[in-house]
Amino acid sequence: MALSTSSNFALPDDAFRAVVEAHRDLTDEQSADFDAALVLILANHIGDIDVLREAIALARRRMIDGQQQQQQQQ
Amino acid sequence: MAQAKTQFGYRRHPDQDRPGANPAEHAVVVVGAGPVGLSLAIDLAQRGQRVVLLDDADRIGEGSRAICFSKRSLEYWDRLGVGDRMVEKGVVWSVGRIFHGESQLYQFNLLPEDGHKRPAFINLQQYYAEAYLVDRINDLPGIDLRWRNRVSALERRNDSVVLTIETPEGAYRLNAHYVIACDGARSSLRQMVGAEFAGQVFEDQFLIADVKMTAEFPTERWFWFDPPFHAGRSALLHKQPDDVWRIDLQLNRYADPAVEKQPENVRPRIARMLGHDKFEFEWISLYKFQCRRMDRFIHGRVVFAGDSAHQVSPFGARGANSGLEDAENLSWKLDRVLRGRSPASLLESYHIERSAAADENIRESTRSTDFMAPNSHQEARLRKAVLSLAKETEFGKRMVNGGRLSVPCSYDTPLSSPDADAWAGGPRPGCSMLDAPVSPRGGETAYLTDTFRQGGTYFTLLGFGNGAAIDVPDGVKEIRIGGANGLGDTAGLIAKRYDAAPGTAYLLRPDGYVAARFRHPTRAAIAAALSRAQGLN
Ligand SMILES: Cc1cc2nc3c(=O)[nH]c(=O)nc-3n(C[C@H](O)[C@H](O)[C@H](O)COP(=O)(O)OP(=O)(O)OC[C@H]3O[C@@H](n4cnc5c(N)ncnc54)[C@H](O)[C@@H]3O)c2cc1C
């Protein structure tokens, strides 16, 4: 596993907050544009295709889990 | 289309007088006189094969179609004796610029270093390239080019193929040991062997126009995303000989081709782009691009090459260029097989190498086409992010995909002998040779690709002198750099490009690919690599 999923920030709340605040005063459309740019900037900074692929797989897995949960609740 | 002959007559051939049950027999029949079939026929004839080349038309293809021919293709055409003519007529270029809206995002140079005989690209109308190849065929013994000969049926036997051919004077049959199908993207031979042609069709349409005008634009490839004159879509401008300019404009998927192709509808679009309407149309066409390939390029004794085997969208100039690479890959192998010097199984390496190349070309041109015509809102959003990041970051620029232009593929192939020594650079086995200047003693500077070609089209050992003569197996030609009798490397570029030290040697295949390389070549090691590259073990 090349992707690190242990907590890397000394102050994780600060990191989360920074991303949240970056979206303040943006419309949904603008937020989506912002996210697209942010993802590409961070992906390039990581610069490791294996890490990127694992991160994508992890994020995708969340989507699928989420869908299943929704279906079960209905 | 001045100066080149483009209309050819049908002529009856004695083969047509043979009774149907006893057709004339030929070693190789090439079907299709496009750039691939023509080049393949020349290559085979130069190796001493007699070739029958059939084409259903009596003229060279309509419209310009391919315009960008790669360095690799020019090096191949040098070997076929037509390189100079192509380059003299063509427009040489290596720089491209990418614009977004009003402003330039970045520029690139496809051949930023000196010491190569051929430029990164020339632009030349496909009909000129075809005409020069036909002229070359007429100067060569051994090729029997038959116009208005359309293959209409194919019967596969155990050790041959029987073709039925329609002509203006009726049908006749031919018996061929090998048939090479270079009959284009709509290949009827592909249908005759019952093969599929699976892949992806892109929904957006592209309007392609060649216009004649005098203009001061530089000889560079200019590509726009979302230009002011064609909002929301992409555009391309590129110079060809004779003051002809290629213009591509992306249209949406719902555009009506019959309407959009009308010159009176195209004219205002192009006038908006150029800022004037002092131009004439040479050719207008509308395309939906496709990326498809055959599963197998070899069906018994029918071998597919060029667009019949694989089709790509044109962003990247990978169509004709990759078809020419097919031809150079196939011809030396087929020649060896026909002479009984290698087993027929050597041809399987053609399928392995060139189908992997087709996958790479399809992957690259699919990515470019998708970048130009995003498939979803989110894809469009990511593209927008890349284009905006490209203004201020280097990584953004490099993600902008306005076409990745054709370079020779590297082969992961059973014909290569893996490296046994340590290398810090140079082309590894399975890669194409690199050009560099060489200086013959007392002579003028020449190029390695020339020296390679002049030696004939055999296996070649490129050796870097250390005094001791290398014991070269029979039938292998030697190019020696440095040492007492070798060619000079005045610029030091050969040694650098090949990561060479005294004693280093590269074994090159007849198509200029590296088969093996050695720090301390022995006769046994070279012989083993040679028989492997010839499919002998
Ligand atoms: C708009 C456009 C731009 C392009 N730009 C580029 C570019 O810049 N660079 C590049 O490398 N490629 C480019 N291409 C692709 C290039 O044109 C093709 O890849 C190339 O023509 C393929 O050559 P070919 O010899 O395989 O087939 P073709 O050129 O299609 O030739 C096939 C020949 O077979 C003949 N034939 C067909 N059926 C039969 C039959 N049954 N019997 C006898 N003869 C038959 C046909 O008459 C034809 O002469 C472009 C294509 C288009 C459409």
Side-chain angles (χ1 to χ4, degrees):
Chain A
M1 181 102 178
L3 177 74
S4 159
T5 52
S6 46
S7 186
N8 292 324
F9 284 109
L11 297 170
D13 291 350
D14 282 4
F16 182 78
R17 199 70 204 158
V19 177
V20 167
E21 279 173 8
H23 285 274
R24 289 264 161 89
D25 72 20
L26 297 184
T27 64
D28 282 357
E29 185 66 21
Q30 288 170 327
S31 266
D33 282 355
F34 170 87
D35 275 345
L38 187 62
V39 163
L40 293 171
I41 292 165
L42 296 177
N44 178 66
H45 180 85
I46 290 163
D48 179 330
I49 195 75
D50 294 327
V51 174
L52 180 61
R53 291 216 164 97
E54 281 177 32
I56 289 170
L58 175 59
R60 288 286 301 191
R61 211 153 59 233
R62 301 301 316 141
M63 311 289 304
I64 295 161
D65 291 351
Q67 268 167 15
Q68 281 167 353
Q69 265 175 24
Q70 253 179 14
Q71 274 162 7
Q72 277 162 11
Q73 281 165 7
Q74 276 165 7
Chain B
M1 281 201 225
Q3 102 186 27
K5 184 167 155 63
T6 53
Q7 185 83 38
F8 309 93
Y10 159 78
R11 260 185 311 182
R12 188 175 181 85
H13 190 277
D15 283 357
Q16 293 171 244
D17 300 325
R18 305 270 296 227
N22 181 24
E25 206 173 303
H26 293 278
V28 199
V29 175
V30 177
V31 183
V36 179
L38 291 164
S39 299
L40 179 64
I42 296 170
D43 198 343
L44 287 166
Q46 289 191 163
R47 292 173 194 283
Q49 296 294 338
R50 302 194 69 81
V51 183
V52 177
L53 175 54
L54 307 173
D55 196 273
D56 60 352
D58 60 356
R59 56 195 312 262
I60 279 170
E62 299 260 325
S64 314
R65 298 176 69 198
I67 59 163
C68 302
F69 292 97
S70 68
K71 179 172 191 290
R72 178 68 190 182
S73 295
L74 297 174
E75 289 167 355
Y76 184 45
W77 279 340
D78 275 339
R79 275 182 256 151
L80 303 185
V82 291
D84 284 341
R85 212 172 159 199
M86 302 280 183
V87 175
E88 272 156 32
K89 180 73 192 175
V91 173
V92 168
W93 68 275
S94 66
V95 171
R97 289 178 199 274
I98 305 269
F99 301 90
H100 182 208
E102 306 261 6
S103 53
Q104 177 177 321
L105 282 183
Y106 70 100
Q107 72 174 70
F108 55 85
N109 187 339
L110 295 168
L111 190 58
E113 57 179 29
D114 287 338
H116 294 265
K117 177 173 184 187
R118 292 308 184 194
F121 277 92
I122 62 163
N123 283 358
L124 182 70
Q125 291 88 330
Q126 184 167 331
Y127 53 74
Y128 277 125
E130 291 177 7
Y132 299 164
L133 290 164
V134 172
D135 283 350
R136 174 71 180 141
I137 282 180
N138 292 331
D139 289 344
L140 272 179
I143 304 174
D144 177 1
L145 172 47
R146 303 182 191 174
W147 300 103
R148 295 193 71 186
N149 274 241
R150 182 175 65 86
V151 174
S152 62
L154 174 158
E155 182 196 326
R156 286 152 72 189
R157 302 200 172 150
N158 275 344
D159 53 2
S160 70
V161 180
V162 178
L163 297 175
T164 305
I165 298 155
E166 306 287 338
T167 75
E169 296 181 304
Y172 71 104
R173 304 199 325 151
L174 280 185
N175 194 341
H177 297 184
Y178 281 94
V179 170
I180 316 302
C182 306
D183 56 340
R186 274 180 290 208
S187 171
S188 43
L189 272 74
R190 197 174 57 221
Q191 283 157 27
M192 291 173 200
V193 302
E196 299 230 321
F197 201 41
Q200 183 182 355
V201 180
F202 298 93
E203 294 300 325
D204 280 41
Q205 303 184 83
F206 288 83
L207 176 71
I208 306 209
D210 280 353
V211 306
K212 197 166 174 105
M213 63 174 178
T214 43
E216 295 301 314
F217 300 112
T219 58
E220 300 171 344
R221 181 182 190 269
W222 284 13
F223 191 95
W224 287 265
F225 292 99
D226 195 15
F229 55 81
H230 191 57
R233 313 213 166 261
S234 64
L236 177 102
L237 177 71
H238 217 172
K239 186 177 180 157
Q240 304 171 52
D242 305 339
D243 288 325
V244 174
W245 297 76
R246 165 67 50 93
I247 292 172
D248 288 16
L249 293 174
Q250 178 187 13
L251 304 181
N252 68 35
R253 56 195 65 183
Y254 310 109
D256 179 347
V259 174
E260 291 295 344
K261 258 169 75 169
Q262 295 302 318
E264 64 268 25
N265 296 327
V266 181
R267 183 164 279 280
R269 289 188 184 282
I270 292 181
R272 253 197 314 279
M273 173 171 188
L274 300 172
H276 63 76
D277 80 342
K278 290 182 239 25
F279 56 84
E280 302 302 322
F281 288 118
E282 284 261 309
W283 182 58
I284 300 175
S285 198
L286 205 75
Y287 287 89
K288 248 188 193 179
F289 293 126
Q290 327 214 352
C291 282
R292 304 185 285 177
R293 62 161 273 205
M294 290 175 89
D295 188 31
R296 286 202 41 86
F297 291 3
I298 302 178
H299 288 253
R301 285 170 172 266
V302 186
V303 182
F304 291 81
D307 273 15
S308 70
H310 45 76
Q311 195 183 5
V312 294
S313 87
F315 299 105
R318 289 165 183 269
N321 288 314
S322 71
L324 293 169
E325 289 174 42
D326 290 350
E328 74 168 353
N329 190 291
L330 179 57
S331 65
W332 68 270
K333 295 174 182 173
L334 187 60
D335 175 61
R336 290 192 65 88
V337 170
L338 288 167
R339 289 174 192 280
R341 291 191 183 147
S342 287
S345 58
L346 176 63
L347 295 178
E348 184 61 18
S349 71
Y350 164 77
H351 167 73
I352 294 172
E353 294 173 359
R354 295 310 304 164
S355 67
D359 286 343
E360 180 177 323
N361 288 315
I362 287 173
R363 188 171 60 241
E364 292 292 339
S365 79
T366 298
R367 287 174 175 182
S368 302
T369 314
D370 280 344
F371 194 89
M372 284 168 214
N375 289 310
S376 68
H377 282 308
Q378 187 59 24
E379 244 179 270
R381 180 175 281 132
L382 284 160
R383 184 184 93 159
K384 189 169 136 194
V386 167
L387 289 170
S388 65
L389 286 166
K391 289 205 176 75
E392 52 183 314
T393 64
E394 197 237 348
F395 86 86
K397 289 184 188 24
R398 292 206 42 201
M399 275 185 187
V400 173
N401 191 338
R404 305 283 185 226
L405 284 128
S406 174
V407 286
C409 298
S410 304
Y411 304 140
D412 193 3
T413 168
L415 304 192
S416 293
S417 299
D419 280 339
D421 304 318
W423 300 87
R428 60 177 176 76
C431 294
S432 171
M433 69 181 289
L434 303 168
D435 203 7
V438 292
S439 358
R441 316 241 148 230
E444 272 178 35
T445 297
Y447 288 92
L448 191 58
T449 49
D450 275 332
T451 317
F452 177 76
R453 168 177 60 83
Q454 282 151 6
T457 37
Y458 304 102
F459 277 83
T460 301
L461 194 76
L462 171 65
F464 293 81
N466 63 348
I470 303 177
D471 196 1
V472 179
D474 286 348
V476 174
K477 211 201 30 124
E478 197 186 350
I479 298 176
R480 230 171 143 62
I481 309 294
N485 308 312
L487 297 161
D489 181 15
T490 331
L493 285 173
I494 315 179
K496 190 167 153 221
R497 287 180 189 162
Y498 286 82
D499 184 26
T504 294
Y506 279 73
L507 180 65
L508 303 174
R509 310 186 334 185
D511 54 10
Y513 271 76
V514 175
R517 53 181 180 170
F518 314 92
R519 286 292 183 200
H520 307 286
T522 62
R523 187 186 171 94
I526 299 170
L530 185 65
S531 57
R532 185 171 183 157
Q534 295 174 336
L536 293 173
N537 47 351

